[in-house]
């Protein structure tokens, strides 16, 4: 059984401390933001697997159905919620149709993919006007593979701050990689369109709202707010 590389230990501690109060997205990518192909990871690395385990153990983790089903042994020791529109039970996990509802009820969580869940997470944060945190393992790939799933392009809509980075060189047959902890701040804060997510207290689900002056529930801050003239009041 491989153990966590000592060079990653301090970073794991910082991420877990951050995750006490904030949602954190985690992903393994190539330099072109590819995350998967034909339902599988682009690269597999024992050090990265141990890093993922150390970050997520004992935490609330959220992922899509296909991502969860691609993990042969599941994720024991975590509180798993799967985002899916299917009513078919998923052994080893809770189910929900809406990401926003889960993030509000489950508290600070680790967002584990796939591509659609990452995209929805970033969009929910943008409309709420809050920062997001991303833990990206970037493999030192010499050439681009034909990925069919990609991580969102954070730099296109956010101001990025690289908080920490750890470089793990190649060893034996395993490719080297760099792990980055990134803070992404919406660059259009307080100037967003009025189309946002609203929590319906009757149905206990999130929905879209466009009415100015209507009260909305901020799932990140746990408080109500209103929209006036396209900006948060």
């Amino acid at each position: 059984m491989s153990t966590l590389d000592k060079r990653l230990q301090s970073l794991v501690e910082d991420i877990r401390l951050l995750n006490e109060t904030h949602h954190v997205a985690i992903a393994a990518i190539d330099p072109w933001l590819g995350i998967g192909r034909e339902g599988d990871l682009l690269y597999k690395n024992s050090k990265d697997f141990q890093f993922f385990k150390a970050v997520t153990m004992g935490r609330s983790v959220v992922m899509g159905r296909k991502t969860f089903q691609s993990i042969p042994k599941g994720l024991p020791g975590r509180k798993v919620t799967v985002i899916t529109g299917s009513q078919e039970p998923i052994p080893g996990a809770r189910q929900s149709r809406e990401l926003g509802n889960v993030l509000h009820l489950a508290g600070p969580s680790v967002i584990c993919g796939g591509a659609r869940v990452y995209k929805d997470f970033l969009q929910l944060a943008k409309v709420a006007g809050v920062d997001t945190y991303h833990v990206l393992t970037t493999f030192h790939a010499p050439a681009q593979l034909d990925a069919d799933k990609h991580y969102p392009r954070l730099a296109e809509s956010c101001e990025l701050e690289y908080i920490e980075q750890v470089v793990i060189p190649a060893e034996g047959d395993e490719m080297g990689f760099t792990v980055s902890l990134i803070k992404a701040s919406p660059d259009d804060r307080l100037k967003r369109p009025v189309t946002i997510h609203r929590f319906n207290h009757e149905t206990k689900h999130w929905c879209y709202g466009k009415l100015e002056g209507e009260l909305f529930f901020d799932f990140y801050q746990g408080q109500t707010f209103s929209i006036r003239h396209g900006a948060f009041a």
Side-chain angles (χ1 to χ4, degrees):
M1 175 68 71
S2 58
T3 57
L4 180 67
D5 191 294
K6 292 182 179 180
R7 290 165 290 191
L8 294 168
Q9 185 62 54
S10 178
L11 178 58
V12 167
E13 293 173 358
D14 291 342
I15 294 169
R16 288 180 65 86
L17 180 61
L18 177 67
N19 188 225
E20 293 287 343
T21 54
H22 294 80
H23 303 299
V24 176
I26 187 169
I29 64 175
D30 69 10
W32 301 271
L33 299 178
I35 59 174
R37 180 174 62 179
E38 297 179 353
D40 202 0
L41 298 173
L42 293 179
Y43 305 101
K44 297 181 180 180
N45 182 294
S46 61
K47 288 185 173 63
D48 179 52
F49 288 157
Q50 287 299 317
F51 173 69
F52 176 85
K53 180 178 180 180
V55 169
T56 60
M57 184 58 65
R59 298 304 169 99
S60 168
V61 299
V62 182
M63 63 190 66
R65 177 180 55 82
K66 292 181 179 179
T67 300
F68 181 72
Q69 292 177 341
S70 71
I71 305 173
K73 297 182 180 180
L75 291 172
R78 292 84 152 179
K79 301 174 183 178
V80 182
T81 302
V82 172
I83 307 300
T84 177
S86 172
Q87 299 297 319
E88 183 178 352
I90 301 177
R94 294 175 292 182
Q95 296 172 236
S96 178
R97 295 178 61 89
E98 301 184 42
L99 177 62
N101 194 39
V102 172
L103 297 183
H104 169 58
L105 296 176
S109 301
V110 183
I111 315 303
C112 302
R116 176 62 183 272
V117 174
Y118 290 134
K119 181 179 178 180
D120 288 348
F121 171 60
L122 191 60
Q123 180 63 20
L124 286 169
K126 286 175 60 180
V127 297
V130 297
D131 300 329
T132 54
Y133 294 87
H134 306 258
V135 179
L136 300 182
T137 295
T138 304
F139 283 97
H140 303 161
Q144 185 174 7
L145 296 181
D146 188 21
D148 54 26
K149 300 295 181 183
H150 293 80
Y151 201 79
R153 296 184 178 276
L154 300 176
E156 292 185 353
S157 59
C158 299
E159 179 181 345
L160 304 184
E161 174 186 352
Y162 284 76
I163 301 174
E164 293 185 58
Q165 281 190 317
V166 176
V167 178
I168 304 297
E171 183 176 337
D173 295 332
E174 294 197 322
M175 186 179 298
F177 58 87
T178 299
V179 183
S180 304
L181 172 58
I182 304 171
K183 176 182 178 181
S185 303
D187 58 14
D188 59 344
R189 189 185 301 269
L190 298 180
K191 296 180 181 178
R192 296 173 299 281
V194 296
T195 301
I196 69 171
H197 284 76
R198 177 173 63 83
F199 187 68
N200 186 318
H201 292 273
E202 295 181 358
T203 64
K204 304 301 181 183
H205 288 295
W206 291 86
C207 58
Y208 290 97
K210 293 186 179 181
L211 298 178
E212 293 187 2
E214 184 177 347
L215 290 179
F216 293 85
F217 186 83
D218 183 342
F219 75 92
Y220 276 93
Q221 302 299 326
Q223 60 189 13
T224 57
F225 58 88
S226 64
I227 297 294
R228 295 195 186 125
H229 308 300
F232 286 105

